[in-house]
Amino acid sequence: MGVFTTNDNNSMDMETDFWFPTSKKALIIFTRNPELGKCKTRLAATVGDESALRIYNFLLKHTVSITQELQVDKFVFYSNEIRKDDLWKTTHYHKKLQRGEDLGARMMHAFQEIFDSGYKQAIIIGSDLYDLDSEAITDAFKVLDTSEVVLGPAADGGYYLLGLKKVIPQLFRSKEWGTETVLKDTLADLVAEEVALLPEKNDVDRWEDIEHLAIFQQFLTPDQKSI
């Protein structure tokens, strides 16, 4: 059950703070508000702002399609503003706002809020991974049943999934977020924990991440298709 008030027909000035948990497991989805010129900026450097926005909206729809029927409680954490009438239907998702000065602080706050709400397991993913599917997320929760931490390595040296049973503060500090050292530095912080690694996947940050996939050609203008 969510409780919120609205400023207009499409935005919330309060989070959906009240609900009845249906699981001891929670999925956290970090998403950036899809705005022209403000999302997928590294991708936009090659394909332009409009194509980058079209690709990001496609990735958002993909993330909804692979998560909405998962049998865990699901939380969408928006980057800037919670939207009421968007892809993330309140019948399937609880809506929150990211808080913190950098990505690490925002992730730690989200995990802490979820664990403070009584959940025993939490997994965080982004909303830009075309390689991810429902089965992979379900498998990650199963792995977390017997491990303290589960990590999904990304091909660029970061990670696309992090699962925890408690907040481990050092995981979210002293990292150069968005660089190829994130996974290595994270694993160095986990030498005392039982860690399970999932298969490596490729997230979408640059054109090189998806240029080999025909499905993304539809989002390019005719003059861009020679990229």
Side-chain angles (χ1 to χ4, degrees):
M1 176 179 67
V3 177
F4 55 82
T5 61
T6 60
N7 289 323
D8 53 45
N9 290 331
N10 200 38
S11 66
M12 295 181 183
D13 61 15
M14 291 183 64
E15 300 179 354
T16 54
D17 281 330
F18 304 101
W19 65 90
F20 297 112
T22 63
S23 170
K24 289 297 183 182
K25 300 179 180 183
L27 178 67
I28 301 167
I29 303 168
F30 261 34
T31 186
R32 182 173 292 277
N33 291 85
E35 300 176 13
L36 186 66
K38 295 183 179 180
C39 59
K40 290 294 153 201
T41 54
R42 286 179 285 179
L43 176 63
T46 301
V47 304
D49 289 339
E50 292 185 0
S51 291
L53 181 59
R54 287 194 291 269
I55 290 171
Y56 187 54
N57 277 313
F58 170 76
L59 293 169
L60 290 177
K61 291 176 183 177
H62 171 73
T63 306
V64 170
S65 72
I66 66 171
T67 60
Q68 63 183 353
E69 300 303 330
L70 292 174
Q71 299 303 300
V72 298
D73 286 357
K74 297 170 285 290
F75 297 81
V76 177
F77 280 76
Y78 292 76
S79 60
N80 300 317
E81 180 185 13
I82 296 173
R83 306 300 292 177
K84 177 185 176 185
D85 296 320
D86 62 3
L87 293 171
W88 310 99
K89 302 305 181 185
T90 54
T91 52
H92 291 83
Y93 301 94
H94 307 292
K95 300 190 175 189
K96 298 285 185 179
L97 192 64
Q98 298 174 30
R99 295 186 175 90
E101 294 183 357
D102 63 11
L103 178 59
R106 294 195 295 270
M107 288 195 295
M108 186 167 70
H109 179 274
F111 272 111
Q112 190 65 65
E113 185 170 357
I114 292 302
F115 288 128
D116 286 348
S117 299
Y119 292 94
K120 302 302 182 184
Q121 295 182 12
I123 285 176
I124 191 169
I125 61 170
S127 52
D128 58 358
L129 198 78
Y130 186 64
D131 283 351
L132 195 60
D133 56 29
S134 302
E135 291 75 17
I137 300 171
T138 299
D139 289 345
F141 275 110
K142 290 178 181 177
V143 171
L144 197 55
D145 286 337
T146 55
S147 299
E148 294 304 308
V149 180
V150 59
L151 269 169
D156 62 4
Y159 55 80
Y160 62 85
L161 180 151
L162 172 63
L164 300 173
K165 292 178 177 175
K166 63 182 178 182
V167 172
I168 305 176
Q170 65 266 27
L171 299 184
F172 308 105
R173 298 171 180 162
S174 304
K175 304 290 185 299
E176 295 184 41
W177 301 106
T179 72
E180 69 279 358
T181 66
V182 172
L183 178 65
K184 175 177 68 68
D185 293 342
T186 300
L187 289 171
D189 289 332
L190 289 168
V191 292
E193 303 288 346
E194 185 177 355
V195 181
L197 292 179
L198 303 174
E200 183 179 277
K201 294 185 182 295
N202 191 32
D203 54 7
V204 178
D205 288 318
R206 300 175 176 85
W207 176 242
E208 293 77 11
D209 297 326
I210 55 175
E211 62 180 337
H212 60 292
L213 299 173
I215 194 168
F216 288 98
Q217 292 291 321
Q218 64 183 302
F219 303 111
L220 302 183
T221 60
D223 61 302
Q224 290 175 332
K225 293 189 177 181
S226 60
I227 292 175

